[in-house]
Amino acid sequence: MRLDVVSIFPEYLAALDVSLVGKAAKSGLLDVHLHDLRDWTHDRHRTVDDTPYGGGAGMVMKPEPWGQALDALAPADGPTQPRLIVPTPAGRPFTQELAYELAAEPWLAFACGRYEGIDARVASYAAERMRVDEVSIGDYVLNGGEVAVLVMVEAVARLLPGVIGNPESLAEESHSGDGLLEYPVYTKPPAWRGYDVPEVLLSGNHGLIAEWRHEQSVRRTAERRPDLLAAWGDVLSDQDGAEGVR
Ligand SMILES: NC(=S)c1ccno1
């Protein structure tokens, strides 16, 4: 997968060089290209923003640098086009499902907005030749799209074949597989500061363990994300699951 990220702070994306994503890049599974939007400005101050039409606080990112950046990294007459992702609080929710969808793309480009956002005509211009998704990682406002790109790239890159050691672990994660939250996990020692590992996990009875884990997933989902339980009719009795789990 090729990844292009355009930002006025490309150094913000240096985290893509480390850990899992960095290893994927070094192994050739990811081909990451960071671009400074100001490389497509032509004035002495390398201006990328201006006041908003219609008034209002803040500044808006000018369309010209973005248009030239897109034309440079994905020429209109090129053989293929990227799927353009624009992080914005006004976007569609970024979900595990969308992460899987994006992981199947051969080429992703991310446009990191700053200030009050990017002139809306940029997305319209890009949509003439590439798929454009305005995507939000959550209902909160950041100072720019760079942090959201780091979140989305990590969520997508780890789904690429060969990036994580044991792909089986993907199947049981929160928001994957059955759509429930992941069950609580434990490791040695069996007793720690007055807290014991649930006996069932020490039993070696895989059927009981699977049943307990599912019940814990349903309990956690019911307590923390009842909105995700719509697909499940499970009714948990009070005595089920670990006490005090939140
Ligand atoms: N919630 C998102 S993705 C965002 C981008 C910029 N500010 O918030």
Side-chain angles (χ1 to χ4, degrees), residues 183 199-215:
Y183 47 78
E199 278 296 325
V200 66
L201 298 181
L202 309 177
S203 69
N205 184 322
H206 298 296
L208 282 179
I209 290 170
E211 189 180 313
W212 180 87
R213 283 175 166 173
H214 173 68
E215 188 177 274

Side-chain angles (χ1 to χ4, degrees), residues 155-244:
V156 170
R158 64 193 299 277
L159 302 177
L160 298 177
V163 172
I164 64 169
N166 176 12
E168 286 179 22
S169 60
L170 294 175
E172 296 192 333
E173 292 180 330
S174 294
H175 308 290
S176 293
D178 59 15
L180 294 172
L181 299 185
E182 197 170 0
Y183 47 78
V185 291
Y186 301 84
T187 187
K188 302 179 187 63
W192 175 74
R193 296 191 180 187
Y195 294 93
D196 295 342
V197 171
E199 278 296 325
V200 66
L201 298 181
L202 309 177
S203 69
N205 184 322
H206 298 296
L208 282 179
I209 290 170
E211 189 180 313
W212 180 87
R213 283 175 166 173
H214 173 68
E215 188 177 274
Q216 289 299 306
S217 287
V218 173
R219 169 173 295 283
R220 267 186 167 186
T221 309
E223 289 175 351
R224 301 174 186 176
R225 290 295 304 277
D227 57 298
L228 297 179
L229 267 191
W232 291 83
D234 289 49
V235 176
L236 279 175
S237 58
D238 289 343
Q239 69 271 16
D240 292 334
E243 289 305 317

Side-chain angles (χ1 to χ4, degrees), residues 87-89 135-138 140-142 144-145 148:
T88 167
V135 179
S136 174
I137 62 167
Y140 40 79
V141 180
L142 306 167

